[in-house]
Amino acid sequence: KAGVTQTPRYLIKTRGQQVTLSCSPISGHRSVSWYQQTPGQGLQFLFEYFSETQRNKGNFPGRFSGRQFSNSRSEMNVSTLELGDSALYLCASSVKKGLAGGGEQFFGPGTRLTVL
Amino acid sequence: QKEVEQNSGPLSVPEGAIASLNCTYSDRGSQSFFWYRQYSGKSPELIMFIYSNGDKEDGRFTAQLNKASQYVSLLIRDSQPSDSATYLCAVNILRSGGYQKVTFGIGTKLQVIP
């Protein structure tokens, strides 16, 4: 079974631009979560999508947004990029098993975003 | 108080020793607990999960959970240089409506010295 894929793997943008990152979950996984990872802050939760609906959101400004499609693929968008947005953006997928949830997440390789 | 706390390390252990990694969490509603390993430049990979109080063993790894003390740990027996990585503790909280929230600790860097 193929793993989580993310595209692109590397991006260089300048301040003020916007960027869209893509994530394809493991087949059969309906939940996709996004994280930002920086050396100082560690892994910080951005948002989670399940069945095209945002289920949970972290403490990030509205410049960070996302969506999920009917095939469970997800995109996240960052508008008006700032230098501090430089980070590794990780996508993780998991299986939802009713109310018990399925917290075992499988991560993609990440997109390394550099803002100049 | 952080929701999930870990000592960032580095924790240095000699090859063949037992490495003990610790994590505390603040929300008593936490349901499940995970340990991820992240090699430098790579993404995290799940190595253990535990839901119930007590110990859970998988090969050289043992996860220990004490909900009363809000404490979860990971023991690595017969540590190998290939175990050198950052170990992330993650806690899953089940909210109302079936929603879940996963919070990660900062991670503990483990160095196994040959």
Side-chain angles (χ1 to χ4, degrees):
Chain A
K1 186 181 276 190
V4 179
T5 58
Q6 291 187 247
T7 56
R9 294 292 311 278
Y10 302 91
L11 265 179
I12 299 176
K13 293 285 187 180
T14 56
R15 280 181 301 173
Q17 287 187 308
Q18 75 167 19
V19 66
T20 298
L21 312 181
S22 181
C23 171
S24 292
I26 292 171
S27 178
H29 286 197
R30 298 169 65 187
S31 171
V32 173
S33 297
W34 288 90
Y35 296 86
Q36 181 195 65
Q37 188 173 38
T38 57
Q41 298 295 318
L43 257 177
Q44 293 198 288
F45 173 73
L46 280 155
F47 27 66
E48 180 199 3
Y49 286 88
F50 178 73
S51 293
E52 302 178 64
T53 301
Q54 188 178 88
R55 297 289 292 268
N56 204 355
K57 192 176 188 303
N59 297 322
F60 278 81
R63 300 185 296 106
F64 292 83
S65 63
R67 60 178 176 168
Q68 187 180 34
F69 303 95
S70 58
N71 62 358
S72 294
R73 190 178 69 85
S74 177
E75 289 181 347
M76 68 163 280
N77 184 277
V78 188
S79 62
T80 319
L81 284 165
E82 299 177 0
L83 295 178
D85 296 334
S86 294
L88 179 67
Y89 290 88
L90 290 161
C91 158
S93 76
S94 65
V95 175
K96 289 279 188 176
K97 295 179 181 177
L99 293 178
E104 302 156 51
Q105 297 187 322
F106 298 86
F107 284 84
T111 295
R112 174 76 61 185
L113 173 64
T114 302
V115 182
L116 303 176
Chain B
Q1 182 186 10
K2 290 184 178 179
E3 291 180 288
V4 180
E5 296 212 48
Q6 293 182 262
N7 187 320
S8 60
L11 171 66
S12 295
V13 299
E15 183 175 355
I18 295 175
S20 178
L21 304 161
N22 305 314
C23 173
T24 58
Y25 59 95
S26 60
D27 193 324
R28 288 194 174 274
S30 301
Q31 298 281 319
S32 45
F33 308 85
F34 305 86
W35 284 98
Y36 288 82
R37 177 177 62 199
Q38 187 173 25
Y39 292 112
S40 180
K42 301 292 185 181
S43 56
E45 58 176 323
L46 179 68
I47 53 172
M48 288 285 289
F49 60 89
I50 186 166
Y51 300 140
S52 305
N53 275 330
D55 295 0
K56 179 181 179 183
E57 189 174 316
D58 184 1
R60 296 187 296 113
F61 299 97
T62 299
Q64 299 175 317
L65 174 61
N66 185 324
K67 288 189 176 182
S69 300
Q70 296 175 246
Y71 176 95
V72 58
S73 64
L74 178 70
L75 302 178
I76 306 174
R77 289 181 299 281
D78 188 25
S79 295
Q80 301 297 308
S82 58
D83 295 326
S84 297
T86 296
Y87 289 80
L88 302 166
C89 172
V91 175
N92 183 33
I93 305 169
L94 185 61
R95 302 286 191 199
S96 60
Y99 301 154
Q100 62 175 358
K101 174 184 175 183
V102 179
T103 301
F104 283 79
I106 194 72
T108 298
K109 186 173 184 178
L110 173 66
Q111 295 176 339
V112 180
I113 312 300

